[in-house]
Amino acid sequence: MKRTFTRREFLRLMMAGGGAAVLAACGGQSGQSTSPTAPAVVSQPGSKVKITYWGSFSGNLGEAEQAMVKAFNESQNEVEVEYQFQGSYEETAQKFTAALQANTTPDVILLSDVWWFGFYLAGAITALDDLARQVNLDFNDYEPVLLNEGVRKGVHYWIPFARSTPLFYYNKSIWAEAGLPDRAPETWAEFSEWAPKLVKSDGSRAAFGHPNGASYIAWLFQGVVWQFGGQYSLPDFTMTMTDPNTLRAAQFYQDTVVKEKWAILSPNLNQDFIGGAIASMMASTGALAGIQANATFPVGVGFLPRETNFGCPTGGAGLAIVSRAPAEKQLAAMKYIAFATNPTSAGVWARSTGYMPVRISTKQTPEMIEFFKQNPNFKTAVDQLPKTRAQDAARVFVRNGDQIIGKGLERIIVNGEAPSSVFADVNDELTKAAQPILEDLKAVEG
């Protein structure tokens, strides 16, 4: 009987050198070599080092990502980056897992906030500090709240690149029609008073839209949970989904749709906002440039509303270098990371997309000062950044934690199930899912 390996087992075995056994179990040819085929030295003196970069963005974000690669290639003669689009964050991570099996890994890869940690535990991405020193990369100029998320035991593994926070987006035209002040609500209580004025009685427009589980509702709900005084989990991976304040936040989400009926669950949140089916939403800063380019109305943004507290998570993706890449390619990959996140490039990327500048000094460049003056919406996320915090382990460190929480929220919002019952199930599922992570963490970090 052929055994099916979990991803964790697979990655463990691959990193432990057991690739041949896994290939055999998965139907590969027995005895086939799985050792890296790339040579330790990949270039002749004076020649370019060619590396492969796996990215995850499409549309205007993909154009900006490819423009960054093009600018790097044209800026020097030592390294040539080949950009390869791999699909969404999830698709990129799944393909990277498969590539580890097939020994066809890239050299540098964009990994989201919920994926890099698993590859760190598996040893699939390498420590960056020595490489950073070789290219004179100054970690002190990176935004600490973003940089520190990729540090384990004092070592850097994941460099911030496309980092975001949620913002409160609103349609200024609808706001004006409703006679509301031109700003985001300061509290959820205030917005609950405003919301009925934003709803169309024929059902063609809701005041607010929630994304579904596939569109990261668990990320956006993370901030709301903190606002209500709850949390997903403790730092030691103890799950707290049944905390009274976590349940209170879930009840609020359910009430907005089921009881108060001023919010909807949308499978295409940004499109519904642009199309006028919802008057407001919480969404990533990384969507700002695209939304403003496509909306036919003036777009307003603001900090997230408060409840008991203010709460806002960081999010997005960073860059990592693959462990099995030859040393020369790893150094070449670090040169690309240093370029893509230097103060000038970080400004270009932020202005093109809406993602936050990851370098402290970028905000003080004349280009960014003038850009923020002309485009104040883009500065909102930067101003909100000092108030943000890293997400709870339940979502970003537990494999599939985002989807486990997101599916629970769909049961609460769509099915109208009691939050206490649903989140008890979610708590149990997260606790079970955390056990292999804790075992791996102990093995890797002691």
Side-chain angles (χ1 to χ4, degrees):
M1 178 177 177
K2 184 185 295 184
R3 180 186 176 194
T4 300
F5 282 80
T6 66
R7 180 177 296 147
R8 180 173 62 86
E9 290 173 323
F10 165 70
L11 287 172
R12 273 178 166 175
L13 288 170
M14 288 303 295
M15 293 307 110
V22 175
L23 282 176
C26 294
Q29 294 181 359
S30 178
Q32 183 177 353
S33 172
T34 59
S35 60
T37 56
V41 177
V42 296
S43 70
Q44 296 298 319
S47 65
K48 283 187 177 181
V49 179
K50 296 184 178 180
I51 61 172
T52 302
Y53 167 42
W54 280 11
S56 301
F57 294 124
S58 58
N60 70 301
L61 296 179
E63 292 173 1
E65 191 176 31
Q66 293 178 58
M68 184 69 72
V69 172
K70 184 173 184 291
F72 173 71
N73 286 338
E74 293 176 350
S75 71
Q76 43 73 52
N77 295 312
E78 297 177 343
V79 179
E80 181 177 346
V81 177
E82 179 185 355
Y83 173 82
Q84 295 182 359
F85 172 66
Q86 299 298 324
S88 66
Y89 290 154
E90 288 68 32
E91 290 168 334
T92 299
Q94 290 162 5
K95 289 180 180 178
F96 186 36
T97 302
L100 289 166
Q101 176 186 7
N103 199 26
T104 55
T105 51
D107 304 298
V108 58
I109 184 169
L110 186 79
L111 293 171
S112 80
D113 54 350
V114 302
W115 283 105
W116 77 269
F117 184 73
F119 290 114
Y120 154 73
L121 286 180
I125 58 176
T126 194
L128 302 175
D129 296 71
D130 286 343
L131 293 167
R133 278 189 285 273
Q134 292 182 61
V135 301
N136 297 317
L137 185 69
D138 181 12
F139 285 127
N140 292 320
D141 191 42
Y142 286 81
E143 292 285 357
V145 69
L146 303 178
L147 181 71
N148 292 340
E149 290 180 45
V151 176
R152 301 299 303 184
K153 294 289 185 179
V155 178
H156 298 82
Y157 288 88
W158 186 63
I159 303 295
F161 174 62
R163 299 306 309 275
S164 61
T165 69
L167 293 175
F168 188 94
Y169 287 73
Y170 64 98
N171 182 320
K172 288 193 172 193
S173 295
I174 297 175
W175 244 239
E177 291 171 6
L180 299 177
D182 184 11
R183 62 173 173 80
E186 294 182 355
T187 66
W188 285 114
E190 182 178 57
F191 187 62
S192 295
E193 294 178 0
W194 292 0
K197 302 176 182 177
L198 301 168
V199 175
K200 276 194 171 181
S201 58
D202 62 2
S204 62
R205 186 177 73 209
F208 187 82
H210 300 291
N212 60 16
S215 299
Y216 309 121
I217 190 173
W219 177 52
L220 297 169
F221 186 61
Q222 171 76 92
V224 177
V225 166
W226 290 336
Q227 292 155 17
F228 277 69
Q231 54 193 338
Y232 287 158
S233 63
L234 301 177
D236 66 357
F237 288 71
T238 299
M239 300 303 156
T240 56
M241 298 300 296
T242 56
D243 176 281
N245 285 322
T246 304
L247 294 177
R248 199 163 62 87
Q251 186 64 59
F252 167 70
Y253 253 39
Q254 184 184 68
D255 287 348
T256 65
V257 176
V258 177
K259 182 179 178 182
E260 304 296 338
K261 300 184 185 301
W262 49 255
I264 61 171
L265 189 81
S266 168
N268 297 296
L269 193 66
N270 292 357
Q271 287 304 312
D272 280 346
F273 179 69
I274 292 170
I278 57 175
S280 63
M281 63 179 181
M282 291 189 295
S284 169
T285 59
L288 181 57
I291 288 173
Q292 290 196 155
N294 290 289
T296 57
F297 53 84
V299 176
V301 299
F303 287 11
L304 301 190
R306 289 180 286 104
E307 209 268 352
T308 305
N309 312 298
F310 179 83
C312 182
T314 58
L319 295 166
I321 295 176
V322 178
S323 292
R324 63 174 53 174
E328 191 173 10
K329 291 197 174 193
Q330 289 185 346
L331 181 59
M334 180 53 80
K335 289 179 180 178
Y336 174 69
I337 292 176
F339 176 87
T341 63
N342 72 31
T344 300
S345 297
V348 172
W349 175 251
R351 293 191 294 274
S352 301
T353 62
Y355 282 107
M356 294 180 294
V358 297
R359 299 291 284 261
I360 297 170
S361 58
T362 299
K363 294 179 293 187
Q364 306 306 321
T365 61
E367 294 84 359
M368 286 307 297
I369 291 173
E370 180 61 23
F371 181 75
F372 285 149
K373 183 179 178 182
Q374 298 297 325
N375 303 275
N377 279 353
F378 283 76
K379 190 171 183 293
T380 302
V382 175
D383 292 339
Q384 187 178 240
L385 181 61
K387 296 175 174 288
T388 64
R389 58 196 257 200
Q391 299 171 66
D392 294 337
R395 178 175 183 267
V396 291
F397 290 165
V398 174
R399 189 159 295 123
N400 296 322
D402 175 81
Q403 291 302 300
I404 293 170
I405 299 168
K407 289 177 181 176
L409 285 167
E410 288 187 352
R411 287 173 58 190
I412 291 169
I413 295 173
V414 178
N415 300 345
E417 297 181 54
S420 58
S421 174
V422 174
F423 273 7
D425 293 344
V426 170
N427 202 82
D428 289 344
E429 191 172 358
L430 288 170
T431 299
K432 292 176 183 175
Q435 288 309 308
I437 303 299
L438 288 168
E439 293 170 8
D440 286 352
L441 199 56
K442 184 177 181 180
V444 172
E445 296 186 349

